[in-house]
Amino acid sequence: MTPDAETVDRLIGQFTQAAIDPAGWMPAMAALSDALGAVTCTLELTDLATGAAHIENVVPLDDDVRRAYEERVFHINPRIARAVAMPEGHIADDRTLLRAGDPHLDEFLDWLGRAPYHYIIGGKILNRGSHAGFLTASFSKQHGLASDDHRAVFTRMTPHLVNAVAVGRALSANRLRNDLVALDALGSERAFALLDRAGRVAECSSGFARVLRTGRVLGVRRSRLVGIAPQHRSLVERFVASAIRAGITDAPPAPVRLASIDAPRGLILRALPLTAMADAFAIFHPVALITVTDLDQPVRASRHDLMVLFDLTPREADVAASVGEGNAIAKVAASLAISEHTVRQHLKAVFGKLGITRQAELAGMIARLG
């Protein structure tokens, strides 16, 4: 079954509309499937940096079959191994994507036996940075390989699909992540990480990376946060699961405290849900912001923050930060190589600008800023 030129043009229009309204992707895929006489059309997405994989099917897959594909089979799929290496806009089918003797071929074919289709043809519609995406049409084993006419349809449509994906992603909530990167927030000493909807660490700040490098309480395995100690593993797993399930209108999950012999006061993990997207391309968007507070580390306020927020001079900011950390006047004077009298004069100016009268109030403000 091969659609005529008018039908192909109409399909291109549907996918173009889906660039503006992501809810249109599934209806457009269903229309393409019907026009080709395929069992289904499939959108397969991956973030090669994190290993996140996602599959959207016109014909829904059994949950276990889908989970097996996203967590294991996608990554050993010999079709995907070759498709990842293809340039954007390239068309391929099983004549080139599957070969006898491929590693893991038997495991892949075993999974394929549980899916409602067998042969495919498709185009690579996304190849930007670590992100790759493929739109395919799948046919039954009885139907056999895709035809040259099917290839002609994909050859006509794929350049338009590439453009639709690029436009749709530019208009999507991925702006949040781009803004964070553009503002150099990921270089911050504040400890935070962005999780994708598979629970993997998509990005993290320098401060968060430093917490992970200590290896005392929290770690990362296969891009996922894990507790180092056995008593923390299930706690961290449940925390991450609740963080990525929560919607933007839901209450954030309760914070958790992870303490150990090496970290007696412990780490506090908090989560904030980010905007959830109905778009399949939301696999590339962060869905939760995780912050870490290390109670065993001294509270430090940024000198820059103190200057910007309270109009302090550089020396006033130094004094405020040191006194706010609990240091005595004499120790502050020695560390800054100034007299105790000068420290008191700077402290008086700080009190006036912050509207406080006691060192205890300064310590409280520094603690909240840190």
Side-chain angles (χ1 to χ4, degrees), residues 160-180:
H160 297 278
L161 296 173
V162 170
N163 289 335
V165 171
V167 171
R169 296 185 75 213
L171 295 173
S172 75
N174 203 35
R175 288 191 303 270
L176 169 65
R177 181 167 170 183
N178 288 342
D179 287 345
L180 286 168

Side-chain angles (χ1 to χ4, degrees), residues 44-288:
E44 298 182 70
L45 304 168
T46 184
D47 185 333
L48 300 173
T50 67
H54 180 68
I55 183 171
E56 286 284 346
N57 243 345
V58 171
V59 175
L61 292 176
D62 174 89
D63 286 345
D64 290 339
V65 174
R66 180 191 181 106
R67 189 179 306 109
Y69 188 79
E70 292 183 349
E71 295 182 0
R72 167 68 181 168
V73 178
F74 181 93
H75 303 284
I76 58 94
N77 184 346
R79 288 170 170 166
I80 291 295
R82 292 193 175 91
V84 164
M86 295 188 326
E88 189 175 73
H90 192 79
I91 314 299
D93 60 26
D94 288 310
R95 294 179 180 87
T96 54
L97 294 176
L98 281 183
R99 298 172 191 168
D102 278 333
H104 308 292
L105 180 59
D106 290 342
E107 183 179 356
F108 171 66
L109 292 177
D110 177 68
W111 176 88
L112 198 57
R114 293 181 284 155
Y117 45 76
H118 194 86
Y119 296 104
I120 70 164
I121 185 171
K124 191 171 189 179
I125 60 173
L126 173 63
N127 189 32
R128 303 293 171 92
S130 65
H131 299 165
F134 314 93
L135 183 71
T136 61
S138 302
F139 302 91
S140 68
K141 199 167 186 177
Q142 292 74 23
H143 177 282
L145 290 165
S147 68
D148 290 340
D149 288 338
H150 292 134
R151 174 178 282 272
V153 171
F154 269 93
T155 300
R156 170 90 170 87
M157 292 186 62
T158 298
H160 297 278
L161 296 173
V162 170
N163 289 335
V165 171
V167 171
R169 296 185 75 213
L171 295 173
S172 75
N174 203 35
R175 288 191 303 270
L176 169 65
R177 181 167 170 183
N178 288 342
D179 287 345
L180 286 168
V181 175
L183 293 170
D184 293 327
L186 298 178
S188 169
E189 287 303 307
R190 298 181 185 275
F192 69 88
L194 296 168
L195 303 187
D196 66 21
R197 67 178 180 183
R200 298 177 177 89
V201 178
E203 303 280 1
C204 73
S205 67
S206 299
F208 195 91
R210 188 180 62 252
V211 170
L212 296 177
R213 282 196 298 270
T214 65
R216 294 181 304 150
V217 179
L218 201 61
V220 171
R221 290 181 189 151
R222 295 180 181 176
S223 299
R224 288 183 169 89
L225 288 181
V226 295
I228 299 297
Q231 69 268 25
H232 294 150
R233 286 170 192 162
S234 62
L235 184 61
V236 172
E237 185 177 345
R238 290 196 302 271
F239 173 77
V240 169
S242 62
I244 63 178
R245 279 199 308 266
I248 193 66
T249 59
D250 299 328
V256 297
R257 175 173 168 262
L258 310 174
S260 68
I261 295 175
D262 294 332
R265 294 190 182 93
L267 298 181
I268 304 296
L269 299 184
R270 294 183 177 86
L272 180 67
L274 302 178
T275 304
M277 295 287 292
D279 182 11
F281 291 91
I283 183 177
F284 303 127
H285 306 152
V287 298

